[in-house]
Amino acid sequence: MERGVVELSGPFDLQSTVESGQSYLWDRPDGRMYEETGVHGGDAWYETTARVDGEPAVLRIRQVDDRLEWESTVEATPVLRERLRLDDDLPAIRATAPDDDIVRDAYDAYWGMHLVCDPPFPSLISFICSAQMRVSRIHGMQERLREAFGTPVEFDGETYHAYPTPEQLATASEEELRDLSLGYRAPYVRDTARLVADGEDPGDVPEDYEAAREALTRFVGVGQKVADCVLLFSLGFLEAVPLDTWIRTTIEEYYPDCDRGTYADTSRAIRTAFGGEYAGYTQTYAFHYLR
DNA sequence: TGCCAGGCGGATT
DNA sequence: AATCCGCATGGC
């Protein structure tokens, strides 16, 4: 087993980063995922899998004050830097956000939460599964997909499963996926996995944000909201503001001028209200705070 | 019990 | 282009 430490250069809170409904790829071996939200998780360990040079790897991390300690099958520092966006300058990002009560309270409540940068295919499947579903259950679906279809990886005396590749998931039948409690999302996941296995790359999108959002909707089960989640939590479009039920309620209540009827127009208005370039950061704080 | 959850695809208008 | 409807599942 390899071990290491990453010194954190700015505000960082591991628990809110991985338990805020951006990523469904991290687990808590203590079994307390999504408990005690709003209370700092202290030094809890988290685990995930990653592909490093195409090979499945296991990552295990915990935060101790201003350090991230890790244990892994591989050298984990560069992977963690990317996946947890460790170089994001949080104070500078917050400075672009409006200074109203909701935004201020949300940032204060979870200060240190970073956006994540999940790999595109797992992020895409996760958010296809997210339709009309609660956060903890979306997470459970990803666990079951790994167990059922992912490549086994030995680490620290236990067997882990990497997130299934598009090819592995493309072999799944609708019935097998329904047996994992995916419900009506089962054919969406199967058909999208087949598209990606056949060469459609969800990570290959236009540079223009709205064009990129439109491009992602070619995958089955991906509308504008799911596309925005993938753009924000995997593809680095930090201006993306996913309009889910929670944020729509928030817009009605606190930013009624931003309700422009259609998704595209409302999205544009709230994106501007949230400061443009990093609007997705503010949306993610608001979502986690209000949920 | 009935409602709702990080919505979407397809049909209808 | 906008609107309506059906769709699984489980927690409250």
Side-chain angles (χ1 to χ4, degrees):
Chain A
M1 171 169 16
E2 299 196 40
R3 302 172 193 271
V5 173
V6 181
E7 300 291 337
L8 298 164
S9 55
F12 186 79
D13 178 41
L14 180 60
Q15 181 181 23
S16 51
T17 299
V18 298
E19 296 195 42
S20 49
Q22 311 176 52
S23 175
Y24 300 94
L25 306 177
W26 291 88
D27 308 315
R28 279 178 70 152
D30 66 6
R32 307 196 65 182
M33 197 75 180
Y34 303 121
E35 295 180 17
E36 305 178 53
T37 47
V39 179
H40 191 277
D43 54 0
W45 286 99
Y46 292 87
E47 297 172 335
T48 191
T49 60
R51 297 256 164 196
V52 179
D53 298 328
E55 292 302 310
V58 178
L59 309 179
R60 174 187 291 159
I61 63 176
R62 70 171 172 175
Q63 179 176 7
V64 180
D65 300 322
D66 294 327
R67 299 178 308 152
L68 223 45
E69 301 180 357
W70 60 261
E71 303 173 349
S72 179
T73 52
V74 296
E75 164 61 45
T77 298
V79 185
L80 294 172
R81 199 165 285 288
E82 179 186 2
R83 290 275 296 264
L84 302 174
R85 302 191 62 95
L86 296 182
D87 294 325
D88 282 356
D89 184 342
L90 232 46
I93 289 166
R94 181 174 183 170
T96 69
D99 191 29
D100 57 46
D101 288 346
I102 292 294
V103 169
R104 190 166 48 244
D105 289 350
Y107 271 101
D108 285 344
Y110 295 106
W111 184 236
M113 180 177 73
H114 279 222
L115 285 181
V116 300
C117 181
D118 278 347
F121 181 67
S123 182
L124 181 65
I125 297 299
S126 294
F127 282 99
I128 288 171
C129 291
S130 77
Q132 291 293 101
M133 194 50 58
R134 285 185 164 76
V135 164
S136 62
R137 296 195 54 214
I138 303 163
H139 178 263
M141 291 179 187
Q142 309 318 306
E143 282 189 312
R144 293 191 291 276
L145 287 173
R146 285 199 315 263
E147 290 285 325
F149 300 105
T151 301
V153 193
E154 299 298 326
F155 174 65
D156 196 23
E158 292 180 63
T159 302
Y160 293 79
H161 291 266
Y163 198 88
T165 63
E167 293 75 16
Q168 287 172 324
L169 209 45
T171 69
S173 69
E174 178 177 338
E175 188 183 358
E176 285 178 297
L177 295 173
R178 284 182 184 269
D179 287 344
L180 301 180
S181 295
L182 266 62
Y184 61 83
R185 305 152 197 82
Y188 302 164
V189 167
R190 179 202 57 197
D191 291 345
T192 288
R194 289 178 179 173
L195 281 170
V196 178
D198 286 342
E200 297 285 327
D201 180 3
D204 181 19
V205 296
E207 281 185 29
D208 176 74
Y209 160 57
E210 292 194 8
R213 186 175 64 198
E214 196 57 36
L216 282 179
T217 62
R218 74 183 184 278
F219 294 104
V220 184
V222 181
Q224 302 188 89
K225 186 269 167 186
V226 166
D228 264 334
C229 287
V230 176
L231 291 175
L232 181 59
F233 303 133
S234 175
L235 302 183
F237 286 78
L238 305 194
E239 69 267 53
V241 177
L243 299 183
D244 59 77
T245 53
W246 291 94
I247 225 66
R248 283 178 184 277
T249 302
T250 304
I251 288 171
E252 273 184 43
E253 197 164 341
Y254 299 100
Y255 307 93
D257 293 346
C258 291
D259 185 358
R260 305 292 169 85
T262 71
Y263 188 102
D265 290 342
T266 301
S267 169
R268 216 169 280 138
I270 195 69
R271 187 160 73 249
T272 301
F274 279 175
E277 187 178 3
Y278 300 110
Y281 244 104
T282 297
Q283 188 272 3
T284 302
Y285 269 91
F287 172 82
H288 191 40
Y289 176 63
L290 296 165
R291 183 168 62 83

